[in-house]
Amino acid sequence: MAEAVLWGAVAASPLLVGALLALVRRWPARLLGIILGFGAGALMASIAFELWEQGVELAGHGPLIAGVAAGALCYYIAARILDARQAKKKKKQDAGGGSLAVGALLDGIPEQLVLGIGLASGEGVGVALIVAIIVSNLPESIGSASDLLEGGMRKGRVVLLWAGVAVLCALATVAGFALASVVGDGFRAAANGFAAGALLVMLVDSMVPEAQQKAKESTGLATVIGFAFAAWLALAA
């Protein structure tokens, strides 16, 4: 259990670190766009070479596709609720940052749940996996926190928001460790699919458009570099 707590904290910490980095200085919009583009590419590689591949190997396409549909639908509904709340407050500036936070939560919980199950099963944790999580989570939280601050959210609330996301994701690792003896490969495959589905909708609806708006023509190149780097890490694991 101690191992699950440790690795859960390590995997989730980039979410809070990114938010704190956004507080340290005002990041130029173009640099933020490049960071977001890099993170988007890393997430695409994570979906293709980790979540999808592992899900198919565990239980075939059925549970995986069911999880993808559920994850996509959950993110879509959560994002629409967030948009409606922002419209009522007449504050649309921080909607992009909030969407990224929702995406991080809906991706992080099932992803770290699977991590905890793997630890309990004796699979261990590869350095490449941890680096890949950092590569994807750090840009996501920096971009989201910066948007939230620009939208007028107080620094304390931004830190609390991302600390909450990080704690919930870390606890998911512990929960996965505890549940390992009662869940099967079908559940793990569905959890992978849920994370992939939520991520795909978030990437198309929020992260990539946000990066494009800030970095303009540099977005595509940054995304390809992020994809290549994360794919190399995944394949080298």
Side-chain angles (χ1 to χ4, degrees):
M1 184 63 75
E3 188 181 16
V5 173
L6 171 63
W7 286 114
V10 170
S13 62
L15 296 168
L16 180 57
V17 171
L20 293 175
L21 286 174
L23 300 181
V24 171
R25 54 167 293 184
R26 187 181 180 88
W27 297 81
R30 183 177 179 83
L31 178 58
L32 275 176
I34 291 173
I35 291 172
L36 284 170
F38 184 91
L43 288 172
M44 291 174 191
S46 176
I47 292 168
F49 296 107
E50 292 178 11
L51 296 174
W52 194 275
E53 266 193 10
Q54 187 184 63
V56 172
E57 289 174 1
L58 284 168
H61 289 89
L64 179 67
I65 292 173
V68 169
L73 187 60
C74 282
Y75 177 83
Y76 178 82
I77 292 172
R80 298 296 74 78
I81 292 172
L82 181 63
D83 289 344
R85 290 184 61 186
Q86 296 302 328
K88 286 182 180 179
K89 294 179 182 179
K90 297 182 179 179
K91 285 184 179 180
K92 296 186 179 179
Q93 300 98 316
D94 62 341
S99 295
L100 291 179
V102 170
L105 186 63
L106 293 180
D107 155 53
I109 287 179
E111 187 175 57
Q112 293 200 213
L113 194 68
V114 171
L115 174 63
I117 294 171
L119 285 169
S121 303
E123 296 175 8
V125 177
V127 175
L129 174 61
I130 297 301
V131 174
I133 291 174
I134 293 173
V135 164
S136 60
N137 283 347
L138 196 59
E140 201 173 359
S141 59
I142 291 174
S144 170
S146 297
D147 283 349
L148 292 169
L149 290 169
E150 288 180 11
M153 184 178 285
R154 294 192 302 274
K155 291 181 179 180
R157 285 192 63 192
V158 172
V159 173
L160 284 174
L161 171 65
W162 279 99
V165 172
V167 168
L168 288 173
C169 290
L171 288 175
T173 306
V174 179
F177 189 93
L179 290 170
S181 60
V182 296
V183 299
D185 289 342
F187 178 86
R188 294 175 63 184
N192 274 8
F194 188 98
L199 277 176
L200 284 169
V201 180
M202 185 272 289
L203 284 168
V204 175
D205 283 1
S206 182
M207 198 167 183
V208 172
E210 187 80 11
Q212 179 66 39
Q213 183 182 21
K214 287 180 167 66
K216 305 298 181 185
E217 71 282 350
S218 301
T219 305
L221 181 60
T223 302
V224 170
I225 293 173
F227 181 91
F229 182 65
W232 171 71
L233 286 173
L235 294 173

